[in-house]
Amino acid sequence: MILVIDFGSQFTQLVARRVRELSVYSEIVPFKNGKEKILELKKQGKLSGVIFSGGPHSVYEENAPKIDINIEELGVPLLGICYGLQLINYMLGGKVSPAKNREYGFEKIKIENNINKNNPLFNLIGREENIVWMSHGDQIQELSSKLTIDSLTRNGVISSFHHNELPIFGLQFHPEVEHSLCGKEIIKHFVEEICQDKKSWDSSSQIENAVKSIRETVDKEGKDTKVICALSGGVDSCVAAVLAQKAVGDRLLCLFINNGLLRKNEYNEVLDRFKKDLNLNVKGVDASELFLGRLAGVQDPEQKRKIIGNTFIDVFEAETKEIPNAKFLVQGTLYPDVIESISLHGTSVTIKTHHNVGGLPEKMKFKLIEPLRELFKDEVRRLGAEMGIPQDMLARHPFPGPGLGIRVLGEVTKERLNILREADAIFIEELKKQNHYHSTWQAFVVLLPVNSVGVMGDGRTYESVAAIRCVSATDGMTADWTKLPYDFLAHVSSRIINEVKGINRVVYDISTKPPATIEWE
């Protein structure tokens, strides 16, 4: 197996996933337990390679995460990514310092001459220049005498190296993300050729394992224990509900709550499909007035998320207090939600709170079941397809738990929600009509908390600005803005401005993730 040592990167799980895609088992451990796990696996003869993840810290900080092990006596190949590269250099006597030119997003690296003769990690790439994905503010100031440079960025920053004698390699960029063009090749070569690990792991048993885990967890509380599933209308909660249904059958009750923050006509349409197409036991609850009342006057996005999360739980508890033995709450939490919300292994930083992760109250009636917590969106879609969920339901774009509450920037009111619903419906309608919907990962409209001057019918207007957001991604961990045709954007803008009263200006968001997130709040 390949062991991934987590130093707090937002992409650590993605590293392990890239290895799993090669049918090789991979496991993540926090850096504090890294030495112990390495020694344990070596003793068992199960360790074929180690990967140091990236992380938000600087290796020269007093309390920077480190691992107390002699990497030159590791006995298996080692690959360091981003912070991992800097840590390897630091551990071998080199120096790291803040970068004069920080590098985030796309970057071009120049492969040094004769690299293929010296560094087998790049053997199969064969390109002099590669586009990679960077996310770092530090750089190598002095390279250890035991290491050799393999590539540089346009700014002269060392972007990869190899040890002069041992199978130790470092990459300043992130090969695990989709946007590093040579990334998958590098990981594949490291795993299969350098670590010589064999294909021995099969993910086809994920459904069976998830169903078994849910059933055993629930049955520990008694055979008459009931399970509540929080349906949002999206892919994640849908797949989680079907898994739970397979596990506990008619002991599952699904609640689909109208929080007043859903898209146009979504409440009735989704409720109908869950009942007819998936045969789920679903109860619809209209709690829109309660949610909007609690959100009145609130502008801070984190406060909005927590209010929405707490209100969801309040509604669940109110709706289920008369249901005997309702002890579990199933949620469709995914790994990207988790790593943006909490420090899963103790070193990652919180990006934003998701209502179904960090926004839950400390004391609540239910115990959580999150069968998709370690998976990514595309993996969840594959599980759903294997279970027979209709493709059009699985192909829906991601929709955040807090709904339009975080797409109406600033205070959330009925009037602003209705303006956003109409604009968003036009955008999605045109994406589907002109065959752009399924070629993008996520698309939506954001209503900004600013007004702009306009002219309509020879008169002055002072109305809201709407931002269109459309991104391409595979797993949501990184994303690039979608290059929609100009004439399409012009048509959408014209429709929104002409048909939606309250908007007189439309802009297009061309930010990548990172440094931006997909959602604005």
Side-chain angles (χ1 to χ4, degrees):
M1 61 173 286
I2 303 291
L3 186 66
V4 180
I5 308 296
D6 179 27
F7 291 97
S9 172
Q10 302 294 328
F11 302 138
T12 299
Q13 182 73 1
L14 194 51
V15 176
R17 178 185 157 195
R18 292 295 178 234
V19 176
R20 295 202 305 263
E21 287 175 346
L22 299 170
S23 298
V24 172
Y25 182 66
S26 181
E27 188 173 314
I28 298 173
V29 294
F31 73 96
K32 293 179 180 179
N33 307 113
K35 179 179 180 179
E36 178 184 354
K37 190 67 176 180
I38 287 173
L39 295 178
E40 174 190 337
L41 291 174
K42 286 185 67 176
K43 185 176 181 180
Q44 297 173 350
K46 295 181 178 180
L47 187 64
S48 57
V50 175
I51 298 177
F52 284 179
S53 82
H57 303 277
S58 298
V59 295
Y60 47 79
E61 292 175 352
E62 183 178 351
N63 296 316
K66 305 271 191 357
I67 181 169
D68 182 23
I69 197 166
N70 186 335
I71 58 175
E72 292 185 290
E73 297 179 358
L74 201 57
V76 295
L78 169 65
L79 172 63
I81 298 173
C82 198
Y83 179 88
L85 164 139
Q86 296 165 13
L87 182 60
I88 289 173
N89 181 61
Y90 185 84
M91 294 173 77
L92 294 178
K95 293 183 179 180
V96 176
S97 64
K100 293 181 180 179
N101 297 300
R102 298 184 304 170
E103 296 173 326
Y104 295 101
F106 288 112
E107 183 60 51
K108 182 179 289 187
I109 62 172
K110 175 75 173 179
I111 306 295
E112 294 293 279
N113 292 332
N114 300 319
I115 186 176
N116 291 346
K117 297 179 181 179
N118 301 313
N119 185 354
L121 192 62
F122 288 88
N123 261 345
L124 301 181
I125 297 175
R127 292 187 290 268
E128 290 187 1
E129 292 185 341
N130 283 277
I131 302 298
V132 297
W133 191 270
M134 292 285 193
S135 184
H136 69 100
D138 289 340
Q139 67 180 42
I140 293 176
Q141 179 183 347
E142 293 183 15
L143 187 69
S144 165
S145 61
K146 299 179 179 181
L147 302 172
T148 296
I149 297 173
D150 291 329
S151 66
L152 300 169
T153 71
R154 292 175 295 179
N155 297 315
V157 174
I158 296 173
S159 53
S160 62
F161 61 55
H162 69 274
H163 193 283
N164 298 332
E165 299 177 1
L166 299 170
I168 296 176
F169 310 91
L171 305 173
Q172 184 62 75
F173 56 92
H174 287 270
E176 68 273 24
V177 305
E178 282 290 324
H179 303 298
S180 287
L181 300 185
C182 58
K184 288 185 178 180
E185 296 176 58
I186 290 175
I187 293 177
K188 185 177 190 298
H189 197 66
F190 177 74
V191 172
E192 295 181 352
E193 303 299 327
I194 296 175
C195 297
Q196 296 187 343
D197 213 328
K198 299 178 181 179
K199 295 182 178 182
S200 59
W201 186 76
D202 185 2
S203 61
S204 61
S205 61
Q206 285 178 323
I207 295 174
E208 180 183 341
N209 292 338
V211 169
K212 180 181 177 182
S213 177
I214 294 171
R215 184 180 296 123
E216 290 177 350
T217 299
V218 174
D219 286 351
K220 285 180 182 179
E221 298 291 330
K223 295 292 184 179
D224 60 346
T225 300
K226 299 293 193 299
V227 178
I228 308 300
C229 182
L231 285 175
S232 68
V235 176
D236 312 328
S237 63
C238 174
V239 173
V242 174
L243 279 171
Q245 185 185 50
K246 286 181 175 291
V248 301
D250 59 8
R251 287 188 285 165
L252 173 71
L253 170 64
C254 298
L255 292 178
F256 182 42
I257 295 176
N258 180 7
N259 58 5
L261 306 171
L262 300 175
R263 290 164 291 194
K264 188 176 181 179
N265 301 325
E266 188 167 25
Y267 180 58
N268 291 327
E269 291 176 359
V270 171
L271 192 60
D272 186 59
R273 292 218 62 187
F274 278 137
K275 291 179 178 179
K276 290 184 177 179
D277 292 351
L278 299 181
N279 198 30
L280 289 172
N281 180 21
V282 185
K283 178 183 179 181
V285 180
D286 188 353
S288 54
E289 294 297 330
L290 176 62
F291 278 87
L292 295 181
R294 291 186 178 183
L295 288 169
V298 178
Q299 297 190 33
D300 178 73
E302 277 297 283
Q303 190 178 355
K304 286 196 285 187
R305 286 177 177 272
K306 290 184 183 296
I307 288 173
I308 294 168
N310 287 339
T311 306
F312 264 114
I313 296 301
D314 289 345
V315 173
F316 282 129
E317 293 187 337
E319 290 293 326
T320 58
K321 64 181 179 181
E322 302 301 327
I323 300 176
N325 297 313
K327 298 180 180 180
F328 290 94
L329 172 61
V330 174
Q331 293 194 139
T333 307
L334 300 193
Y335 191 75
D337 300 333
V338 174
I339 60 179
E340 286 189 343
S341 295
I342 57 176
S343 298
L344 186 66
H345 297 295
T347 53
S348 59
V349 297
T350 298
I351 305 300
K352 58 188 177 186
T353 301
H354 289 257
H355 86 277
N356 55 346
V357 186
L360 294 175
E362 293 183 6
K363 295 182 179 180
M364 66 177 187
K365 173 184 175 182
F366 303 108
K367 298 177 182 178
L368 280 179
I369 294 178
E370 297 173 309
L372 312 177
R373 189 180 177 88
E374 295 292 325
L375 301 179
F376 293 84
K377 180 74 72 174
D378 55 317
E379 293 176 318
V380 171
R381 285 188 169 121
R382 284 197 293 271
L383 286 184
E386 290 180 26
M387 293 189 295
I389 297 174
Q391 183 58 36
D392 65 318
M393 296 183 75
L394 295 175
R396 293 187 72 195
H397 285 183
F399 187 61
L404 300 183
I406 57 168
R407 292 179 181 175
V408 171
L409 273 56
E411 184 179 3
V412 178
T413 66
K414 285 185 178 180
E415 179 184 8
R416 299 191 74 211
L417 283 167
N418 287 333
I419 291 173
L420 177 58
R421 283 191 184 97
E422 294 300 324
D424 189 75
I426 289 172
F427 183 36
I428 299 302
E429 176 189 331
E430 290 296 338
L431 282 171
K432 291 180 178 179
K433 185 186 297 183
Q434 301 194 39
N435 297 319
H436 295 305
Y437 184 83
H438 294 299
S439 61
T440 62
W441 164 266
Q442 194 169 357
F444 54 90
V445 176
V446 178
L447 192 65
L448 306 188
V450 294
N451 286 3
S452 73
V453 175
V455 179
M456 290 185 178
D458 295 326
R460 178 185 184 275
T461 62
Y462 190 59
E463 296 178 332
S464 296
V465 178
I468 292 175
R469 180 73 158 148
C470 191
V471 298
S472 301
T474 298
D475 45 52
M477 295 302 301
T478 63
D480 191 16
W481 61 280
T482 305
K483 280 69 174 177
L484 293 170
Y486 289 153
D487 57 350
F488 172 81
L489 291 172
H491 177 65
V492 170
S493 174
S494 178
R495 279 200 61 189
I496 290 175
I497 291 172
N498 282 283
E499 298 177 30
V500 182
K501 187 176 180 180
I503 295 176
N504 68 357
R505 189 180 301 270
V506 175
V507 298
Y508 190 46
D509 182 348
I510 58 171
S511 308
T512 60
K513 176 186 179 181
T517 54
I518 294 177
E519 298 287 345
W520 281 45
E521 287 191 340

